[in-house]
Amino acid sequence: DSGVTQTPKHLITATGQRVTLRCSPRSGDLSVYWYQQSLDQGLQFLIHYYNGEERAKGNILERFSAQQFPDLHSELNLSSLELGDSALYFCASSVEGLAGPYNEQFFGPGTRLTVL
Amino acid sequence: QQQVKQSPQSLIVQKGGISIINCAYENTAFDYFPWYQQFPGKGPALLIAIRPDVSEKKEGRFTISFNKSAKQFSLHIMDSQPGDSATYFCAAVRGLVFGAGTILRVKS
């Protein structure tokens, strides 16, 4: 168990809908990262927050947004969902930000999103 | 675009054999190269990592070989076991960039 929790485990929704995925980082970790994992795209970095502030953006669509709250948990909001958004969404946390060298990321168990 | 290219896509190895997974990167600013192991239904977990100032790092049956001039690094799993069957991702850090993953199956 990595200490990172994600809810829900599974989510099934329809195209055009909006969903929110939640992540609680390990105790003491200030950084939260979101990743999308699909069969054809592998593991793709979406966005990184450090202590409430956005630090880096990866391949995140404009329909997607995220935030990190004062208690350091994070939410990933996916809107106007398309079939191609079906994937596993992972959250990871680390003590420092990406700029910190040799900074291990601890991954949560993921949320499996299915868009029908 | 920063990229890390990983090969092979999948690998089948006999129990006791050596599993070798290769990665190549482009951006010389990368300064940390971790390998992640992912079991079905689980998130990736850090397996072993190397800094570019060393050419090899060994932890138990797992070894990373690093060739800075060729911008390549590889994971060797010695005495591969069925419990090693998983997906392996290489990554490069200056912003975390992952390879596409290698599905390893160790046949007993």
Side-chain angles (χ1 to χ4, degrees), chain A residues 35 37 90 102 104-105 107, chain B residues 38 43-44 46 51 89 96:
Chain A
Y35 295 88
Q37 185 176 38
F90 286 105
Y102 329 128
E104 180 178 355
Q105 293 189 16
F107 282 77
Chain B
Q38 183 180 24
L46 181 67
R51 299 181 335 227
F89 294 94
L96 195 60

Side-chain angles (χ1 to χ4, degrees), chain A residues 2-3 8 24 31 33 35 49-50 52-53 55 67-68 72 81 85 89 96 101 103-104 110 115:
Chain A
S2 67
S24 293
S31 271
Y33 313 80
Y35 295 88
Y49 276 83
Y50 177 77
E53 292 186 4
R55 275 294 178 89
Q67 53 184 326
Q68 186 180 26
L72 301 177
L81 285 168
D85 297 327
Y89 290 84
E96 298 174 5
N103 196 21
E104 180 178 355
V115 182

Side-chain angles (χ1 to χ4, degrees), chain A residues 35 37 41-45 59 88 90 98-110 112, chain B residues 1 31-32 36 38 41-46 50-53 87 89 93-96 98-100:
Chain A
Y35 295 88
Q37 185 176 38
Q41 292 289 320
L43 201 59
Q44 297 284 322
F45 167 66
N59 301 320
L88 264 171
F90 286 105
L98 278 173
Y102 329 128
N103 196 21
E104 180 178 355
Q105 293 189 16
F106 295 85
F107 282 77
R112 181 172 291 282
Chain B
Q1 182 71 28
D31 59 2
Y32 177 56
Y36 283 81
Q38 183 180 24
K42 302 288 186 183
L46 181 67
I50 196 167
R51 299 181 335 227
D53 54 348
T87 301
F89 294 94
V93 177
R94 179 57 70 180
L96 195 60
F98 281 89

Side-chain angles (χ1 to χ4, degrees), chain A residues 8 13 21 26 29 31 33 38 44 65 77 85 96 112 116:
Chain A
T13 188
L21 312 184
R26 292 187 325 153
D29 284 359
S31 271
Y33 313 80
S38 56
Q44 297 284 322
S65 65
N77 300 296
D85 297 327
E96 298 174 5
R112 181 172 291 282
L116 301 175

Side-chain angles (χ1 to χ4, degrees), chain A residues 48-109:
Chain A
H48 166 218
Y49 276 83
Y50 177 77
N51 202 21
E53 292 186 4
E54 180 184 306
R55 275 294 178 89
K57 264 186 174 179
N59 301 320
I60 187 166
L61 300 172
E62 284 193 13
R63 300 184 285 109
F64 295 1
S65 65
Q67 53 184 326
Q68 186 180 26
F69 295 88
D71 66 353
L72 301 177
H73 90 271
S74 178
E75 292 181 355
L76 178 67
N77 300 296
L78 315 175
S79 61
S80 303
L81 285 168
E82 302 174 0
L83 295 177
D85 297 327
S86 296
L88 264 171
Y89 290 84
F90 286 105
C91 162
S93 74
S94 66
V95 174
E96 298 174 5
L98 278 173
Y102 329 128
N103 196 21
E104 180 178 355
Q105 293 189 16
F106 295 85
F107 282 77

